[in-house]
Amino acid sequence: MKRDRVSDDLPMAAGPRWFWPVGWALLLLIGVVGMPALEPGFRWLEPDARQVIYSRADFVSLLARHVFVVGIAAVVTIAVGVLAGIAVTRQWGRDFLPLAGQLASLGQTFPPVAVLALAVPVLGFGTLPIIVALMLYGLLPIVRNTLAGLQDVDASLKQSALAMGMTSWQVLTRVELPLATPVILAGIRTSVTINIATAALGATVGASNLGDPIIAGIVNGNMAYVLQGALLIGLLALTVDSLFDALQQQLRTRLSAS
């Protein structure tokens, strides 16, 4: 009876879990598609401006480019950060543990603007410099959380798995990583959410994204443009952050159930 009661409650709990990601995504979609309909409100903010709705590029394209840049940087950073965390927690890589943490921290000591200034002469204007900046800036949370998650796995569990005949690879994939996943996911969540806002700086080096209206608004003294870009970036960040939160809740439910 108790098992049936728990299984019956799971679908009910899953509804509220995904309510916020879906809700923020719908608001983002409405904002992207329906921005021209908000012209009266922006006209009130900038009554003397000749144009109050950013129109050099459509917001759908800007959103797609923004997500593309953040997504590429996230994929590379997650791969590098998690693999580095795994490598330095193995017996053969423990000597490099302090170095891995220091190198990851070094990426965040440089402001993204400084990274862009250094990268543009080498990589040129466009998307590549901002991807490099996002990779460096987003590496620290992933590396730190991967290290914390793997190091917090109870040593007795690993010893029991080895005693059962598991190989080191099986212990990593079947014991350590599943238990460390919620902590690793929290680091990925922090990294990606921060980089959604940081990616707006790409507009200063020719990487067209949701930062374009913000930069155009600052240059032209048009706060309506600035608000449009900031509003959409904020909604995108809330959508992604709430999605990660729902995933973390689902993982915690599965771990507690097992």
Side-chain angles (χ1 to χ4, degrees):
M1 292 293 293
K2 187 174 182 181
R3 176 184 290 271
D4 294 340
R5 176 77 176 272
V6 172
S7 62
D8 291 340
D9 289 343
L10 284 177
M12 297 177 63
R17 180 183 303 160
W18 299 103
F19 173 80
W20 287 111
V22 173
W24 289 123
L26 286 175
L27 285 176
L28 175 62
L29 180 62
I30 292 171
V32 168
V33 176
M35 190 66 73
L38 301 177
E39 183 174 357
F42 291 114
R43 177 63 64 184
W44 174 83
L45 181 64
E46 287 287 348
D48 299 326
R50 184 174 60 87
Q51 185 175 344
V52 293
I53 300 296
Y54 185 79
S55 59
R56 294 180 186 173
D58 64 275
F59 287 104
V60 174
S61 298
L62 294 177
L63 174 63
R65 294 167 189 165
H66 202 99
V67 172
F68 173 77
V69 168
V70 175
I72 293 296
V75 169
V76 177
T77 306
I78 291 168
V80 172
V82 173
L83 289 176
I86 292 174
V88 298
T89 54
R90 304 304 96 187
Q91 189 65 39
W92 48 267
R94 292 189 185 277
D95 292 340
F96 299 97
L97 179 58
L99 179 62
Q102 291 169 1
L103 289 177
S105 300
L106 185 63
Q108 282 205 335
T109 60
F110 287 100
V113 176
V115 176
L116 288 175
L118 295 173
V120 166
V122 179
L123 303 176
F125 287 90
T127 302
L128 193 55
I130 189 61
I131 291 179
V132 172
L134 294 181
M135 287 166 51
L136 292 175
Y137 205 61
L139 190 61
L140 179 61
I142 298 175
V143 172
R144 281 188 173 175
N145 279 48
T146 301
L147 293 176
L150 291 174
Q151 291 173 334
D152 286 346
V153 176
D154 194 338
S156 62
L157 292 176
K158 293 185 283 186
Q159 291 298 327
S160 299
L162 290 172
M164 292 171 59
M166 287 189 181
T167 64
S168 298
W169 175 254
Q170 290 174 324
V171 172
L172 173 64
T173 55
R174 298 184 183 180
V175 178
E176 293 183 77
L177 283 178
L179 293 175
T181 295
V183 180
I184 297 173
L185 190 61
I188 295 172
R189 174 184 179 180
T190 300
S191 174
V192 174
T193 305
I194 290 175
N195 276 350
I196 287 174
T198 308
L201 294 173
T204 62
V205 294
S208 181
N209 56 36
L210 290 175
D212 285 12
I214 297 176
I215 301 302
I218 293 173
V219 171
N220 298 307
N222 190 329
M223 291 305 299
Y225 286 177
V226 175
L227 184 58
Q228 289 159 32
L231 178 64
L232 294 180
I233 290 174
L235 287 174
L236 177 60
L238 288 170
T239 300
V240 173
D241 185 71
S242 59
L243 177 61
F244 275 112
D245 183 59
L247 290 173
Q248 286 178 278
Q249 291 183 39
Q250 185 171 359
L251 277 174
R252 284 194 291 266
T253 302
R254 287 184 177 179
L255 287 175
S256 60
S258 60

